[in-house]
C-alpha cells in the first residue's frame, strides 16, 4: 500500500494548504531561551570578577595610596611597621617570567619548527603526544620537582651553587619547561597554516629547507608565533604552584636569580593559607594584588588576541 | 628581437651532482637540524627525568596504605585516601556544574547568535579572556562571592567545585564551538532543505556529530581541573583532613593539595609521600587522557 | 497550470543585486531548466524559491514569489513548511552521516509524519528514486559507502520521503560521471509524473534532453558598480529555445559562441 500517494499539484491529501505555521513550537522557544541565558551567564562571571575585586580593592586603596602600592619597594603587609609597596612581588614575577621564557621560547620554537617543517608524519605522531603529556602534568608536581630535584639535588648538591632552599632560578626554569608545550603547539599551528605553495616557491628557487623555514615560513607565521609567545608570558605571570613551592616566601627585591623571592601569585597563595578575616586589611591586600595580576594578564591576553587576529586575516 | 645581453652569456655552471655547498647538507643546515633535535630532546629528557625521579622517590611508599590511610602527623602512618576520594568527588561535581552550562553557552554562541550584533561579539571576546585568566583569580572570585553570600566555611566540596567549574567553563565553551564548527555546512543545509527546523537540525544532525569532539575536550578540561591546586588553596582547603568527604557541604582535600601539603613539610619522609601521591595523581590523569584519546580516535568523524 | 510564479523578482545579497526582473511561471508536472553562463543568478533564483536564501546573511527578495497562489515571503509564512513542500537536491551529494535507512527516515521523523510503516515509506522512497534494488540489502550501512551517483539518488529519495510537491535541483549531476548522470536524468523524467521539477544546469544538452521548458539567463554588467546582475532573457518550450530562439543572445549561447 503506497504511503506516498496523492502527489503533485496543490495539496489534496488532507493537509492544510496554508503555509503559515502549523504549531507555535513553544518547546523550541524555551530551548532557545535557555541557550541564550547560558551564554549571557559568562558575561555575568566577568562582571562578578570585577565586582569581587573592586570592593576590597577600593577599601584597600582608601588605606594605602595607589602610588605607594605600585612603586613602593618594601612589601611587609603583616608586620607591625607595615608597608605595601608591591615592587618586590612584581620584580620576582618578572624574574620568573623572564627565566621561564628564556627556556620556553628557544626550545618551544625549536620543537615547533621541527614538528612543522622537518618531522616525518610518523615521527610527529610520536612526538606530539610527548608535548601533550608535558602540558598535562599538574603544576604541583612540577613544583615538587623544582624544589626537590632542581633546587636541592642539582643546584645545591651537584653544582654546589651558592643558593638557599628556594630560588627564583629553579622555579623559573621548571616553569619554562611547563610552558614549552604552549608555545610549541600554537607556533606549530601557525607555521603549518602557511600555504605549501610558499614553500614550493622557495624550493623552486634553489633554497634549502633551513633557508625556506627561516626566511619564508617563519616570517609568514610571525604574528601567530608572537601570539604564542605572548600567551606564554601570560601563563608564566599567572602560574602559582611552582613558584609557591620553589621560589620562596620572602618578599624582597630579587637581584640575583639564585636568591629566593615571592611573586604576586606566590603571595596570594601563601597569604590565603593564613587566616584573614573578611574585610580586614590583610583580606583586602589579597584582592589588591589579585586585581593587579588580573589587569596585567588581561592586557597581555589582549595583545595576544590582537596578534592572532592579524595572523588569521592574512590567511 | 634583441638578444639578451645584460645578463651576459649564460655559461655552463658545473655539474648538479654531488653535495652542493648551499644544499641540505651544508654545515649551517646540519647545525640547524641538530639544534632542533636538541630542543625536542630537552623536552623529552625533562619529562623522563621528572617521571623517573618522582617514581624513584615515591616508590617506597607506593603501597596500599597510600590508598587506604588518612593523613597523619607521623609519615609512616599517613595515606592519601581522603585526597583521592576528595579529588574524585570534586571533579564529579565540577563536571555536573560546568558541562551543561558550558555546552549550552557554546551551542548558542556557535549556532544561534547573530555575530553582527555587537553584544554577541563582546560575549565571544569575553570568553576568550576568561580562558586565559590565571586559575588563582577564580579562587579569589569564588572566595569573594561566597563571602558576599554569607557563607562562613568555604572549605566545602561545593565551593571547590564552583571554583573549578568557573575555571574550565570557558574551555568547555570553546571546545563545544569548535566541535560544532567542524561539522560541514552541507549537512545543515540538507537537513533544513527537508523542512527540519534549525533546532531539530542541531539536535539530530549537528550535535550527534560533535559529541566526540565535545567529549574529548571536556575530559581533557576536567583532567586539567583535577590537577589544579591554587584556587582551592584560596578557599582554605589546606587543612588537616582525616575523614572521607561525604557530600556537597563536606570538608575535603584533593590530591594536588595533599601533595602541596606534604611537599611543604621539612621531613624527608613527607617528601617521599608527596612523590608517591604524585604518582597516583599522574596515573589518574593518564587514565583520563587515555579515555579522551580513545574517544577521539574511535568516534571522531573525519569529513 | 502553474505551481510557482515569480513576478518581477529581484534577489539581493546585501547591496549586491544578483538577479533582477524575473517574471515566469513554473507549470505542474513539468521539468523546467534554468540555463545560462556562470554568475547570472540561476542558483540564486532557485534558492529563493524555497527560501533557502534566508540562510545567507543579508539576502532578501523583492517582487513576489507565489506557491499555489500564496506569496511565500509573506510575513506569516513558515519557511520551514515551505522547504518541506518545495524540496531541494544540491550540487554535491550531501548524505547525512547515518545509515541509508536513517537518511530517508530522518525527514519524516522531524516533520512529524507518523506513517503506519516507516519501513514501507523508506522502501517506497528508495524505489521511486531508482535506488532500492542496489541498497535493499544494506540499509543499515553508512550512506558514505555509496558511490557519488548513488548518494545523489539517496538525496533525491530522502527529499521524496517528505512528500514535497516541487523538487528543486541545483546542478544535480555536475559532480557525477556520465553514466550516473544518465541515470539521474532518466529518473527526472519518471519523477515529473508526480512532482514539478526545476533544475539549474550548466549542461545545455541536459536541458535539451530532459526539460519541457527552458529559461535562458545572462548577466548584465552594472556600469556604476561593475557587478554583474542576472536577467531572464528568454523562457519558452525547450524545442523553441534550442531550434528557433527569439533572442540573439540565446542563439549565441546555444551555438557556443560564448559559454
Amino acid at each position: 500500500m503506497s504511503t506516498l500517494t496523492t502527489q503533485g499539484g496543490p495539496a489534496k491529501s488532507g493537509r492544510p494548504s496554508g503555509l503559515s505555521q502549523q504549531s507555535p513550537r513553544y518547546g523550541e522557544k524555551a530551548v532557545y531561551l535557555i541557550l541564550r541565558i547560558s551564554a549571557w551567564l559568562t558575561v555575568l562571571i566577568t562582571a562578578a570578577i570585577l565586582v569581587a575585586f573592586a570592593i576590597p580593592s577600593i577599601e584597600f586603596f582608601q588605606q594605602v595610596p595607589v602610588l605607594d602600592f605600585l612603586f613602593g619597594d618594601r612589601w611587609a603587609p603583616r608586620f607591625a611597621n607595615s608597608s605595601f609597596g608591591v615592587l618586590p612581588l612584581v620584580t620576582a614575577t618578572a624574574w620568573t617570567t623572564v627565566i621561564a621564557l628564556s627556556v620556553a621560547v628557544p626550545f618551544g620554537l625549536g620543537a615547533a619548527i621541527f614538528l612543522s617543517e622537518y618531522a616525518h608524519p610518523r615521527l610527529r605522531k610520536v612526538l606530539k603526544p610527548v608535548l601533550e603529556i608535558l602540558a598535562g602534568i599538574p603544576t604541583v608536581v612540577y613544583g615538587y620537582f623544582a624544589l626537590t630535584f632542581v633546587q636541592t639535588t642539582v643546584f645545591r648538591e651537584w653544582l654546589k651553587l651558592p643558593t638557599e632552599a628556594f630560588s627564583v632560578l629553579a622555579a623559573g626554569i621548571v616553569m619554562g619547561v611547563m610552558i614549552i608545550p604552549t608555545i610549541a603547539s600554537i607556533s606549530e599551528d601557525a607555521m603549518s597554516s602557511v600555504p605549501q605553495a610558499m614553500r614550493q616557491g622557495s624550493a623552486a628557487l634553489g633554497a634549502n629547507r633551513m633557508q625556506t623555514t627561516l626566511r619564508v615560513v617563519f616570517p609568514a607565521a610571525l604574528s601567530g608565533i608572537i601570539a604564542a609567545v605572548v600567551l606564554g608570558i601570560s601563563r608564566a605571570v599567572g602560574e602559582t604552584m611552582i613558584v609557591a613551592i620553589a621560589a620562596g616566601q620572602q618578599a624582597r627585591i630579587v637581584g640575583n636569580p639564585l636568591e629566593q623571592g615571592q611573586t604576586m601569585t606566590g603571595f596570594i597563595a601563601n597569604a590565603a593559607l593564613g587566616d584573614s578575616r573578611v574585610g580586614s586589611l590583610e583580606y583586602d591586600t589579597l584582592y589588591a594584588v589579585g586585581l593587579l595580576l588580573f589587569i596585567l594578564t588581561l592586557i597581555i591576553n589582549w595583545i595576544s588576541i590582537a596578534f592572532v587576529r592579524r595572523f588569521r586575516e592574512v590567511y | 628581437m634583441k638578444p639578451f645581453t645584460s645578463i651576459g652569456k649564460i655559461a655552463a655552471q658545473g655539474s648538479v651532482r654531488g653535495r652542493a655547498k648551499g644544499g641540505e647538507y651544508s654545515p649551517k643546515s646540519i647545525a640547524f637540524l641538530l639544534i632542533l633535535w636538541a630542543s625536542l630532546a630537552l623536552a623529552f629528557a625533562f619529562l623522563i627525568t621528572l617521571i623517573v625521579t618522582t617514581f624513584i622517590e615515591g616508590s617506597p611508599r607506593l603501597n596500599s596504605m597510600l590508598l587506604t590511610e588518612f593523613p597523619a602527623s607521623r609519615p609512616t602512618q599517613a595515606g592519601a585516601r581522603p585526597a583521592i576520594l576528595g579529588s574524585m568527588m570534586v571533579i564529579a561535581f565540577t563536571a555536573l556544574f560546568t558541562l551543561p552550562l558550558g555546552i549550552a553557552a557554546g551551542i548558542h554562541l556557535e549556532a544561534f547568535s547573530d555575530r553582527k550584533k555587537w553584544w554577541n561579539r563582546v560575549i565571544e571576546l569575553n570568553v576568550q579572556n576568561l580562558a586565559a585568566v590565571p586559575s588563582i583569580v577564580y579562587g579569589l572570585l569564588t572566595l569573594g562571592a561566597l563571602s558576599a553570600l554569607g557563607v562562613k566555611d568555604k572549605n566545602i566540596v561545593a565551593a571547590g567545585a564552583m571554583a573549578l567549574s568557573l575555571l574550565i567553563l570557558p574551555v568547555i565553551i570553546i571546545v563545544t564551538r569548535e566541535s560544532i564548527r567542524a561539522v560541514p555546512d552541507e549537512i545543515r543545509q540538507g537537513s533544513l532543505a527537508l523542512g527540519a527546523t534549525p533546532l531539530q537540525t542541531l539536535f539530530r544532525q549537528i550535535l550527534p556529530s560533535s559529541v566526540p569532539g565535545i567529549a574529548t575536550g571536556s575530559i581533557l578540561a576536567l583532567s586539567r581541573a583535577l590537577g589544579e591546586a591554587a584556587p582551592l588553596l584560596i578557599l582554605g582547603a589546606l587543612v588537616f583532613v582525616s575523614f572521607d568527604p561525604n557530600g556537597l557541604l563536606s570538608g575535603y582535600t584533593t590530591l594536588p593539595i595533599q601533595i602541596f601539603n606534604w611537599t611543604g613539610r621539612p621531613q624527608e619522609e613527607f617528601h617521599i609521600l608527596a612523590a608517591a601521591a604524585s604518582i597516583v595523581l599522574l596515573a589518574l590523569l593518564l587514565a583520563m587522557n587515555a579515555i579522551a584519546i580513545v574517544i577521539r580516535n574511535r568516534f571522531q568523524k573525519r569529513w | 497550470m502553474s505551481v510557482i510564479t515569480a513576478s518581477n523578482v529581484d534577489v539581493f545579497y546585501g547591496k549586491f543585486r544578483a538577479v533582477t526582473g524575473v517574471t515566469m511561471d513554473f507549470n505542474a508536472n513539468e521539468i523546467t531548466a534554468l540555463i545560462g553562463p556562470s554568475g547570472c543568478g540561476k542558483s540564486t533564483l532557485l534558492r529563493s524559491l524555497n527560501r533557502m536564501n534566508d540562510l545567507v546573511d543579508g539576502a532578501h527578495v523583492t517582487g513576489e514569489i507565489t506557491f499555489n497562489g500564496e506569496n511565500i515571503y509573506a510575513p506569516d509564512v513558515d519557511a520551514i513548511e515551505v522547504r518541506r513542500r518545495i524540496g531541494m537536491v544540491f550540487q554535491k551529494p550531501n548524505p547525512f552521516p547515518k545509515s541509508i535507512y536513517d537518511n530517508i527516515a530522518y525527514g519524516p521523523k522531524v516533520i512529524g509524519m507518523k506513517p503506519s510503516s516507516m519501513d514501507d515509506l523508506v522502501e517506497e522512497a528508495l524505489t521511486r528514486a531508482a535506488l532500492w534494488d542496489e541498497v535493499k540489502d544494506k540499509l543499515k550501512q553508512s550512506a558514505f559507502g555509496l558511490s557519488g551517483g548513488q548518494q545523489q539518488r539517496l538525496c533525491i529519495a530522502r527529499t521524496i520521503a517528505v512528500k514535497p510537491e516541487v523538487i528543486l535541483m541545483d546542478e544535480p549531476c555536475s559532480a557525477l560521471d556520465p553514466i550516473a548522470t544518465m541515470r539521474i536524468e532518466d529518473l527526472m523524467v519518471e519523477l515529473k509524473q508526480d512532482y514539478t521539477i526545476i533544475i539549474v544546469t550548466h549542461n545545455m544538452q541536459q536541458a535539451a534532453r530532459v526539460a519541457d521548458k527552458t529559461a535562458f539567463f545572462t548577466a548584465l554588467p552594472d556600469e556604476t558598480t561593475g557587478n554583474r546582475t542576472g536577467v531572464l532573457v528568454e523562457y519558452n518550450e525547450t524545442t523553441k529555445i534550442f531550434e528557433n530562439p527569439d533572442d540573439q543572445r540565446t542563439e549565441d549561447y546555444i551555438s557556443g559562441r560564448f559559454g
Side-chain angles (χ1 to χ4, degrees):
Chain A
M1 174 71 186
S2 166
T3 48
L4 291 180
T5 46
T6 64
Q7 286 305 310
K12 293 195 279 277
S13 51
R15 288 191 315 276
S17 59
L19 291 175
S20 40
Q21 216 157 292
Q22 305 302 323
S23 67
R25 301 199 185 110
Y26 287 128
E28 294 211 339
K29 289 203 175 72
V31 174
Y32 281 125
L33 193 61
I34 294 176
L35 295 178
R36 186 187 299 264
I37 292 179
S38 307
W40 278 96
L41 277 176
T42 56
V43 177
L44 190 69
I45 294 176
T46 306
I49 293 182
L50 293 175
V51 166
F53 278 74
I55 297 178
S57 301
I58 292 177
E59 284 180 17
F60 178 82
F61 287 118
Q62 279 166 352
Q63 302 209 22
V64 177
V66 175
L67 291 180
D68 285 0
F69 176 70
L70 286 179
F71 298 109
D73 62 0
R74 185 167 157 258
W75 182 258
R78 290 169 179 236
F79 284 43
N81 175 17
S82 56
S83 165
F84 294 91
V86 85
L87 274 188
L89 302 182
V90 172
T91 49
T93 305
W95 268 109
T96 52
T97 303
V98 165
I99 295 173
L101 284 178
S102 49
V103 168
V105 168
F107 290 103
L109 285 184
I113 292 177
F114 185 79
L115 284 175
S116 162
E117 306 296 312
Y118 282 84
H120 194 266
R122 269 188 313 190
L123 194 55
R124 274 191 83 197
K125 270 181 107 168
V126 167
L127 292 175
K128 279 206 89 160
V130 168
L131 280 181
E132 282 177 23
I133 295 179
L134 261 186
I137 295 184
T139 50
V140 244
V141 178
Y142 272 119
Y144 172 85
F145 182 70
L147 180 69
T148 59
F149 186 71
V150 179
Q151 177 69 7
T152 311
T153 309
V154 175
F155 284 1
R156 294 175 75 185
E157 291 176 20
W158 293 357
L159 299 179
K160 306 255 194 293
L161 293 176
T163 180
E164 306 280 307
F166 310 102
S167 78
V168 155
L169 186 63
I173 291 180
V174 173
M175 196 155 57
V177 175
M178 178 196 79
I179 296 177
I180 287 180
T182 304
I183 295 190
S185 75
I186 299 182
S187 305
E188 197 245 329
D189 280 347
M191 284 192 275
S192 298
S193 312
V194 174
Q196 200 61 7
M198 271 200 200
R199 292 186 188 83
Q200 289 170 348
S202 171
L205 291 171
N208 64 31
R209 208 187 306 203
M210 175 182 86
Q211 291 165 325
T212 302
T213 302
L214 291 179
R215 290 164 183 268
V216 174
V217 178
F218 197 87
L222 194 60
S223 308
I225 293 176
I226 294 182
V229 172
V230 173
L231 201 65
I233 297 179
S234 163
R235 289 208 62 189
V237 168
E239 166 51 36
T240 304
M241 298 313 294
I242 301 182
V243 290
I245 295 178
Q249 279 121 32
Q250 280 182 24
R252 41 193 293 285
I253 303 267
V254 175
N256 154 11
L258 289 173
E259 297 169 2
Q260 65 168 301
Q262 190 180 56
T263 64
M264 290 190 280
T265 50
F267 163 71
I268 298 178
N270 283 309
L273 295 178
D275 246 331
S276 306
R277 249 185 25 252
V278 175
S280 67
L281 184 59
E282 286 147 357
Y283 180 83
D284 295 340
T285 313
L286 275 183
Y287 283 87
V289 178
L291 183 66
L292 182 60
L293 181 70
F294 181 63
I295 293 177
L296 271 178
T297 49
L298 210 64
I299 295 176
I300 298 175
N301 287 323
W302 279 341
I303 297 177
S304 175
I305 292 178
F307 273 104
V308 167
R309 217 172 273 155
R310 267 222 347 225
F311 182 70
R312 292 242 176 92
E313 274 163 20
V314 179
Y315 296 113
Chain B
M1 197 162 87
K2 267 177 63 172
F4 292 116
T5 48
S6 46
I7 299 180
K9 220 158 103 81
I10 298 180
Q13 288 172 20
S15 162
V16 293
R17 309 222 305 260
R19 301 202 161 168
K21 229 174 35 173
E24 296 292 351
Y25 299 99
S26 69
K28 275 201 206 157
S29 280
I30 298 188
F32 186 63
L33 194 58
L34 285 176
I35 293 179
L36 296 182
W37 269 107
S39 313
L40 272 170
L42 179 99
F44 201 61
F46 208 96
L47 183 63
I48 300 279
T49 312
L50 190 145
I51 296 184
V52 165
T53 55
T54 309
F55 214 84
I56 293 179
E57 280 211 36
S59 52
R61 283 309 311 277
L62 258 190
N63 49 31
S64 60
M65 256 181 75
L66 187 65
L67 301 177
T68 55
E69 293 301 317
F70 298 96
S73 41
R74 304 239 314 267
T76 46
Q77 293 170 336
R81 171 179 155 142
I84 299 175
L85 292 176
S87 275
M88 295 205 236
M89 191 179 261
V90 168
I91 291 303
F93 280 114
T94 302
L96 196 65
F97 294 165
T98 192
L99 286 181
L101 190 59
I103 295 178
I107 292 177
H108 173 82
L109 286 174
E110 188 61 24
F112 298 122
S113 81
D114 180 359
R115 291 292 142 81
K116 291 199 304 274
K117 300 266 169 46
W118 66 268
W119 55 80
N120 284 318
R121 288 205 297 270
V122 165
I123 297 185
E124 284 190 32
L125 187 63
N126 185 39
V127 170
Q128 276 184 306
N129 277 328
L130 286 178
V133 163
S135 60
I136 201 166
V137 169
Y138 286 107
L140 288 172
L141 169 63
T142 311
L143 181 69
L146 290 179
S147 303
L149 291 174
V151 174
K152 286 270 178 293
D153 179 17
K154 301 169 194 72
N155 182 26
I156 53 178
V157 171
M162 189 173 143
L164 294 180
S165 303
L166 292 174
L167 174 65
I168 65 172
L169 182 68
V171 177
I172 305 280
I173 295 178
I174 292 174
V175 154
T176 302
R177 293 192 64 182
E178 285 178 3
S179 302
I180 292 180
R181 204 177 304 158
V183 179
D185 198 46
E186 295 124 38
I187 305 287
R188 180 174 153 253
Q189 296 214 18
S191 173
L192 289 170
L194 289 170
T197 68
L199 214 57
Q200 284 171 324
T201 304
L202 175 80
F203 279 105
R204 290 173 180 262
Q205 294 291 354
I206 300 184
L207 271 189
S209 296
S210 319
V211 158
I214 297 179
T216 305
S218 303
I219 295 180
L220 291 176
L222 285 170
S223 74
R224 188 186 145 198
L226 182 66
E228 279 289 342
L232 304 181
L233 279 184
I234 305 290
L235 292 170
L238 190 70
V239 290
F240 185 74
V241 169
S242 60
F243 51 88
D244 288 342
N246 58 10
L248 267 178
L249 296 180
S250 151
Y252 72 105
T253 183
T254 64
L255 268 175
I257 299 273
Q258 193 61 63
I259 296 172
F260 179 69
N261 185 337
W262 281 333
T263 308
R265 308 278 190 97
Q267 296 99 320
E268 181 63 26
E269 295 89 6
F270 279 116
H271 288 191
I272 299 180
L273 272 172
S278 297
I279 299 175
V280 175
L281 180 59
L282 287 175
L284 275 177
L285 286 172
L286 195 65
M288 277 183 86
N289 281 345
I291 296 177
I293 292 179
V294 161
I295 293 181
R296 177 164 63 193
N297 288 344
R298 269 206 62 190
F299 295 107
Q300 182 68 301
K301 293 205 165 46
R302 277 159 231 292
W303 304 98
Chain C
M1 180 184 55
S2 70
V3 172
I4 296 183
T5 67
S7 310
N8 201 23
V9 169
D10 285 16
V11 183
F12 292 83
Y13 292 122
K15 289 206 169 62
F16 168 57
R17 192 199 306 247
V19 70
T20 184
V22 176
T23 299
M24 59 193 297
D25 289 355
F26 298 93
N27 290 336
N29 300 106
E30 280 187 0
I31 300 180
T32 307
L34 311 181
I35 65 171
S38 305
C40 57
K42 316 186 291 290
S43 289
T44 304
L45 180 67
L46 192 78
R47 295 169 70 97
S48 311
L49 298 179
N50 70 343
R51 298 196 57 171
M52 279 302 275
N53 261 342
D54 289 6
L55 304 176
V56 177
D57 258 339
H60 64 277
V61 168
T62 62
E64 194 180 59
I65 299 182
T66 69
F67 172 55
N68 291 333
E70 298 180 75
N71 178 2
I72 63 173
Y73 283 91
D76 63 340
V77 164
D78 181 13
I80 312 277
E81 180 67 7
V82 169
R83 291 187 199 125
R84 183 191 65 75
R85 311 257 298 263
I86 305 178
M88 181 167 248
V89 173
F90 298 84
Q91 182 172 341
K92 188 165 154 287
N94 58 350
F96 301 131
K98 296 174 184 283
S99 68
I100 295 172
Y101 185 96
D102 286 333
N103 260 274
I104 310 285
Y106 172 76
K109 242 189 252 179
V110 295
I111 64 171
M113 244 165 92
K114 295 198 195 323
S116 47
S117 163
M118 183 63 86
D119 287 355
D120 283 350
L121 192 149
V122 170
E123 178 174 341
E124 177 151 357
L126 286 168
T127 307
R128 284 184 175 231
L131 190 59
W132 172 250
D133 285 332
E134 291 166 56
V135 302
K136 63 182 181 217
D137 297 323
K138 43 182 183 172
L139 289 177
K140 296 296 181 188
Q141 290 184 22
S142 164
F144 286 162
L146 299 175
S147 73
Q150 289 171 324
Q151 286 185 6
Q152 194 65 303
R153 276 179 280 149
L154 178 68
C155 293
I156 294 176
R158 155 177 103 178
T159 304
I160 292 177
V162 293
K163 300 198 199 177
E165 291 154 50
V166 178
I167 302 180
L168 308 176
M169 300 196 185
D170 193 350
E171 300 191 44
C173 303
S174 63
L176 305 177
D177 64 76
I179 305 273
T181 298
M182 195 176 72
R183 300 182 74 169
I184 301 233
E185 288 178 8
D186 291 342
L187 182 57
M188 283 189 226
V189 173
E190 266 183 56
L191 288 174
K192 80 171 178 188
Q193 295 170 44
D194 295 317
Y195 309 93
T196 304
I197 300 184
I198 306 173
I199 75 171
V200 166
T201 180
H202 264 138
N203 184 340
M204 279 189 291
Q205 290 79 12
Q206 181 171 80
R209 285 191 290 265
V210 304
D212 298 300
K213 299 180 76 163
T214 300
F216 170 63
F217 287 76
T218 193
L220 295 182
D222 183 328
E223 286 93 33
T224 38
T225 59
N227 287 323
R228 294 151 60 86
T229 302
V231 294
L232 171 62
V233 173
E234 193 172 341
Y235 177 43
N236 233 316
E237 301 289 321
T238 302
T239 40
K240 174 134 173 49
I241 292 276
F242 280 92
E243 289 168 14
N244 183 18
D246 288 332
D247 194 299
Q248 182 61 36
R249 291 171 291 183
T250 315
E251 162 108 34
D252 287 344
Y253 183 74
I254 303 289
S255 57
R257 267 192 222 124
F258 76 100

